[in-house]
Amino acid sequence: MGEDGESPKINHSFLRDYVTEADVISTVEFNQTGDLLATGDKGGRVVIFQRETQSKGESEELGESGEYNVYSTFQSHEPDFDYLKSLEIEEKINKIRWLPQQNAAHFLLSTNDKTIKLWKVSERDKRPEGYNLKDEEGRVKDFSTVTSLQVPVLKPTDLMVEVRPRRIFANGHTYHVNSISVNSDGETYLSADDLRINMWHLDITDRSFNIVDIKPANMEDLTEVITAAEFHPKHCHLFVYSSSKGTLRLCDMRASALCDRHSKIFEEPEDPGNRSFFSEIISSVSDVKFSHSGRYLLTRDYLTVKVWDLHMEKGPVETYQVHEYLRSKLCSLYENDCIFDKFECVWNSTDSVIMTGAYNSFFRMFDRETGRGVTLEAWRESSKPRAVLRTRRVYTGGRRRRGDVGVDSLDFTKKILHMAWHPAENIIAIAATNNLYIFQDRVNPETQ
Amino acid sequence: MSQSHAEATDVCTEAKRIMVQALAKMYTLRTQRGGLRLHRSLLITLVMKSARDMYHSCRTACEQQQQQQENANFTGVASESCETDTNAAHVAEIKDHSLGPKTNVSQSCLKTSAQTDLHYHGTTACSEDKENQISTKLDRHSRKRRGQAAVEPDFLPCKKAKMEAEEVRRNPHNAALRATCCGVKESLTHIPLPRSIVSF
C-alpha cells in the first residue's frame, strides 16, 4: 500500500502512515477445514477469505487449487476507554480462533486486549417472496387488491454473508489478553493475559473460571509473565502456557481447580557462553503451539524455534536457528525495539515441517526430518502470481552468492510476525505488515 | 593493565547507555496507546538490572585499577575523580535523552498521570529534583499497602518537608540509577533493583 504511485510535493507520509497503521494485519487463522481464512488487523476489522470451490474437471487434474477471495469483512472491535483507569483500550485484534463447525454457520472468536467476542458467520442465499400483505419492495399492500392468498416461497437470491456478534465476553481480564484457545470439548475455551488464564463456557458470558494466576502478592516480586497459552488438541483437560522466562508449563485441570502448580515444566538451562544484557529478552517465548498429534510443542523465542517432546521436560528435542546472525546485533535491535518483536510459529498438517517469520519479509521453514531450513520471501516485487518462490539467503560469511542479502541490508521494518498453515494441505498464509500472501504448493502429489 | 581498564570503561559506558535507553523506553511505554504493557516493562526492567549489575561490577573493577595505579594517592580522592567524570557523562546522557524542557527522563518516570500504572520508584532523580525524591519517600511508605487494591497515587503532592530529601538519599532502598546520578558511592553496594512495575 505504501509503495503505490508517486507522491506529489505535498508530504502525505503522515496520512499514509496513519491509514496503513490500521491496516496492519495482526492475526491470521485458517478454520478447521481450511476453506476459510480469517485475518484481523490493528483497526479492529476482521476479513474472512473463502476458498473457491473447484468444479470437477480439467482444473483438478492439473493440480490447481482454489484461490481465496474475500468472503466477508466486519468491524469486530472498536477503540474503547477504561474510565476507571483512564486507559485507552486498543481495538487491535490480537487473536482469532475458529470454532469447529457444527451446522451451516461458522463461528469464530476474536479478541482485543480486553474483550473476546463470538461471531456467527452465516450465509443467506434465499429470500422469501410472494407475501400477501406486502409487495416486492416491502410496502404494505392495499387490502382491497388482495383477492387470493398465496404461500410465500423461498427463491434464490444473491449470496449475502451475515456476521453477527453472538456473545461478548467482557471484563474478564485486567491485563492484556495475548491468547485464546478453543478446547477440544467444543464447549469451553481459554483466554490468557499477562498474569492470568481464564476458562470460559462458550454460552456463558457473565462468568469465567480463573485457572492460572501468577500475579504475586507484591507486584515488586514479579519476575515473569504469561506470553501464550493453548489447549491440547485432543485432551480437553490439558493446556500449556509459556512464560517470558522461556519456560513452558503443562497443566492438568483434573489435578485442581486452580492450576498454578504445573504438572510438567519444560525449560532449557541457559548457555552461560551466550549470556548478555539481553539474555532475558531473547529467551522470552513469543508463541507456543501443540503439534497436530498432540505429542510435541513448538515454541518461538527471539532467535530460535524449538520442538519439545511432552515426555521430556529437560530440554527441547530440536532447536532451529532462525536468524543467529542477529545475536551480535542485539544492542541495535534493542535500540530500535525490534528485540521485543513477537514472532509466531506454525506446524504443517503432518507435523513434519515448521515455519516461522523473520525480518526483511523473510520467513523460514524447517524440515524436521532432514533438519534443514530454507528462507523464503514474501515480497510482491520479487514474486509474481503463480511464480515459484525462490529461496533466499542471508550472507553471514564464506562465499557470497548472487542474491545473498547482507545482515546490515536487512529491513527490520518488514517483519513477518503472523502466519498460518492450512490444516490439511500445503497452503500457507503469511501476513507482511498490511499485505496478506497466500502461497500454495503446486506440486502434483503423484510426482512427490 | 591499561587495556583492561579501557575495556572495563567501555563496558561501563555500554551499560550506562543501555540503562538510559531503558529509562527512555519505560517513559515511552507510559504514553503509548493501550495502556502500560506489562511484558515489555518487565523485560526492560530486567535489561536495566543486568546493565546495572554490569555497571556496578565494572565500576568496582575500575576503582580497583585506579587504586592500584595511583597507590600514592588517597583512595577517596581517586574514586571521587573517577566518579565525577563518569557522573558528568551520565548526567549529560540523561539530559540528551530528555523529552522536553519540563521533563527529564528520570523525572518523567515518576510523573504519574491517572493513565499510568507504573510505579518505578527506583529511578528517582538527581539531588536537584526534590519533587521526585519526595515521591520516592511516598512510595517507600506506601509499599506496605501495595499488595492491596488501593494504592496512593503519587501525583498527589507530598506533605513532607523538603529537608527530608537528605534522609531519603541515604536510604538503602534507593535504586542504582538515582545513586549514580547523585554520585553516592555507597548506595551502589546494596541496591536491590526494585522490580515493581505495576501498582494495580
Side-chain angles (χ1 to χ4, degrees), chain A residues 90-91 176 220 335 337, chain B residues 17 25 33-34 37 115 196:
Chain A
E90 275 191 292
E91 67 276 26
H176 296 113
E220 291 172 38
E335 275 177 55
D337 280 349
Chain B
R17 197 165 64 90
K25 288 182 196 301
R33 240 187 116 214
R37 297 277 157 189
Q115 276 105 352
S196 165

Side-chain angles (χ1 to χ4, degrees), chain A residues 42 79-81 84-92 94 113 174-176 194-195 215 217-227 243-244 275-278 280-281 284-285 331 334-337 339-342, chain B residues 11 14-15 17-23 25 28 32-40 42-44 46-52 54-55 114-117 121 139 143 146-148 193-200:
Chain A
K42 278 193 175 177
D80 205 349
F81 199 78
L84 197 63
K85 295 190 191 130
S86 285
L87 281 178
E88 240 192 301
I89 300 170
E90 275 191 292
E91 67 276 26
K92 174 170 82 97
N94 292 334
D113 284 338
T174 309
Y175 302 94
H176 296 113
D194 293 319
L195 297 178
K215 182 178 176 182
N218 192 346
M219 281 299 279
E220 291 172 38
D221 301 330
L222 182 73
T223 56
E224 65 182 328
V225 298
I226 298 168
T227 52
S243 83
S244 54
R275 180 111 189 99
S276 75
F277 287 124
F278 311 107
E280 281 109 349
I281 302 185
S284 175
V285 173
C331 206
Y334 164 75
E335 275 177 55
N336 63 18
D337 280 349
I339 205 173
F340 300 108
D341 287 336
K342 295 184 188 175
Chain B
V11 180
E14 182 73 10
R17 197 165 64 90
I18 289 172
M19 284 195 294
V20 170
Q21 280 174 356
L23 276 175
K25 288 182 196 301
T28 317
Q32 255 177 10
R33 240 187 116 214
L36 189 74
R37 297 277 157 189
L38 190 65
H39 184 198
R40 194 175 286 209
L42 178 67
L43 293 179
I44 294 171
L46 293 172
V47 168
M48 217 184 301
K49 186 186 172 197
S50 300
R52 191 262 306 173
M54 183 61 70
Y55 182 76
Q115 276 105 352
T116 190
D117 301 303
H121 57 243
D139 288 343
R143 193 172 293 190
R146 202 167 291 279
Q148 300 171 19
L193 184 78
R195 285 172 294 188
S196 165
I197 52 178
V198 195
S199 66
F200 57 85

